[in-house]
Amino acid sequence: MRQIINLSKDWLFKKTAEFPAVFPEERGQSSASETEWEPVTLPHTWNAKDGQDGGNDYYRGTCMYTRKLEKPEMEPGGRAVLEFKGAAMSAEVMVNGEKLARHEGGYSTFRVDITDALKDGDNLICVSVDNSANDRVYPQKADFTFYGGIYREVNLILVPETHFELIKDGTPGIKVTPKVTGNNAVIEAEVRVQGDGVVTFTIEGTGVKAETEARDGYAAAELELEDVCLWNGKEDPYLYTMKAELRKETEAVKECSADHAPEAEAADTVSTRFGCRTFSFDREKGFFLNGKPYPLRGVSRHQDRAGAGNALTYEMHREDMEIIREIGANTIRLAHYQHAQEFYDLADEYGMIVWAEIPYITQHMENGWENTLSQMRELITQCYNHPSIVCWGLSNEITASGSVTEDMMENHRLLNDLCHRMDPTRPTTMAHVFMLETDSPITEIPDIASYNLYFGWYLGELEQNDKFFDEYHEKFPERVIGFSEYGADANPQFQTASPEQGDYTEAYQALYHEHLLKCIDERPYLWATHVWNMFDFAADGRDEGGAHGVNQKGLVTIDRKVKKDAFYLYKAAWSDEPFVHICGRRYRDRTEDTTEIKVYSNQPEVTLLVDGRVAGTQTGSRIFRFTVPLTESSGAGTHDAGRYIIEARAGECTDTIEIRKVQEPNPDYLFQKQEIVNWFDKEEIDPTCYSIQDTMGEVMATPQGAAILGRMIRQAAASRGDVAKSTEGNKNLEKMMAGMKIQSLLKQAGDAIKPEQIRQLNAALQQIKK
Ligand code: ADA
């Protein structure tokens, strides 16, 4: 029988590309030169610290892991296979000095047959793992840290001579395709086999079985389930288990007639859970699950977290799933790569609908074709049986740093064909960058479309999100369109009573999402919407919003400790679990004489109490706004004057915060950049002449204005390198920018344009009469 032995312990680690000839002794027991080997337990990444602290300077190179392995007891003819569930980004496996395998792609499982390299007694296992830059293996350019390491489990799997396939593309050994018709389902089960034998398929707990002989290493059967229990999303994610047993036909068995044949002993067994469901995509009504409308509203997830990087425990995966369940989402985009099998399992168990994808992202590489195809082959092979998955994502913002080329198109066509060949049951999709022209031929490759839009954050006004989809839907009524990313950064330290785009405050993030939630509600045709992101995540190249190395678009911080206010907005919209939440709990010191207390709740009525006295009751939906006068001298019911206890009650639920009326703004609440960028808000402007308060389009329409702005754009482009190159001549982008005020474009350019340049630009525009 198959044995699985966990090999998490007893590894030594060193930042070196050299394979050791003998097992290095552990630190503390050895000479100085050997002390650089560090004992580690898997999962492990060497970028847990430097990949999260900013500066884009985390270690990207080759590192070595080594371990002793005593030759296990094996049946004659049996095989010993090492299983790696994730080694990032490329790995080479060597046993006793013999190089046995190389794997490229940091997010999928791969297995290596080490049998023939094993000797009696101790064996030297060495794994070199490499996350250095190259032009073949994705990802190379993206907004997240490419942690290096053996960051998921390693197992030794022992199988008898006759066994289910386990090497090819990291296959789980069994493939299950349920086809539901009416109350019944036909379940197709397939296995690949090394050796000959008879395969028995059993759907556990149902008595449904089928037996078939493996021919040319393949066996398949169709099993019928009557009155099938559907896998029905969050409501009832019913899972079945399909077990396959492989029996080797012995001579004795072969000689007996079928009726009298003694049961041959099972040589190998594999099993997988599966779910029976139908789903479809409607260009007007969105997603359907089991024939009923099931609007997909949820979040994206990056896997990493503070301190651990991507080296996660099962408990961490579980906690992430619990937080996503708490917000009430019914879909997760597992971005931008293959996640741990444990997480897809959790999605199956809790009825989450999943978008799965490979890290073909930001920049197309002409040498990367094979790697996109192998990562997709592995993703589909390894994840095929998960009922939670409903689509395969071919790429993400692949046109962000270059225009659409024939090479890129062909790579996408090949990927698309591969997905269709391997899995005719699920459609393909792509997450397009906002500036990709909607009629670009690349948008026609995948089965269903999706766009990432950040209007109201990086660029443009909030309403441009609404407009974009309205225009798209009208122009392409036959296309299924989704909203694959939207979000705004917030550092919960930054607080304000007057939130503004680009200020990194918790309050602006909440306002942004209030708009976006409404935008989505009004467009039921969107097949899925995914907030970017559920959790803050490491992007070592970022240094902004008061944080180093972190993308702060999460609704929850990277340590999973702070749920930002916007989290509760979605909870109010999506969750049935009664709750009430007062926003601005971290905005404690307030200077305003009248402050707004905003409450999010999924209850129909909220009462606000200030220092124990009812200040008002409101009925409504999700968002409840109250105004509360503040003075420094009052604040009854508390010890200090100026302190207020604010309580919200909704049904049985309550939430309480404390605020304080103060004279001077708390300097910790303000992101400094805001001060610098906003100077021009106070400038005196002559309205009869052009200024930075006019839109780009209005100013460009005048010859002098076009000359001034043209110069500025050329200068900016020269300093923006590849980003500028990729946006050159982009009609879609030009159209979007034409509708924006120059002032807001400048704000979004951030530090790239200095206050003095803005002053000069405004002075020049003020010379042009309207
Ligand atoms: C892109 C990209 C994401 C994400 C986002 C952002 O849209 O797809 O990886 O990082 O930008 O936050 O800017």
Side-chain angles (χ1 to χ4, degrees), residues 143 302 336 361 396-397 452 454 458 485 532 537 542 551 553:
D143 180 31
H302 256 303
H336 284 305
I361 182 167
N396 178 75
E397 298 197 347
N452 300 347
Y454 285 94
Y458 290 121
E485 274 184 38
W532 188 259
F537 58 91
R542 279 188 184 256
N551 182 315
K553 290 191 190 69

Side-chain angles (χ1 to χ4, degrees), residues 571-621:
K571 184 167 173 178
W574 296 338
S575 168
D576 296 335
E577 181 202 329
F579 82 98
V580 63
H581 170 83
I582 306 176
C583 297
R585 67 211 314 107
R586 283 164 283 274
Y587 180 37
R588 187 160 176 264
D589 300 337
R590 307 188 179 202
T591 49
E592 59 270 25
D593 296 332
T594 305
T595 198
E596 180 184 77
I597 300 290
K598 190 163 65 178
V599 176
Y600 292 149
S601 176
N602 52 6
Q603 300 302 292
E605 187 175 278
V606 173
T607 298
L608 196 80
L609 292 91
V610 177
D611 291 331
R613 280 194 293 272
V614 172
T617 295
Q618 299 214 8
T619 52
S621 155

Side-chain angles (χ1 to χ4, degrees), residues 173-189:
I174 179 165
K175 183 175 169 194
V176 175
T177 310
K179 288 180 197 128
V180 181
T181 19
N183 292 335
N184 305 334
V186 174
I187 319 296
E188 187 187 343

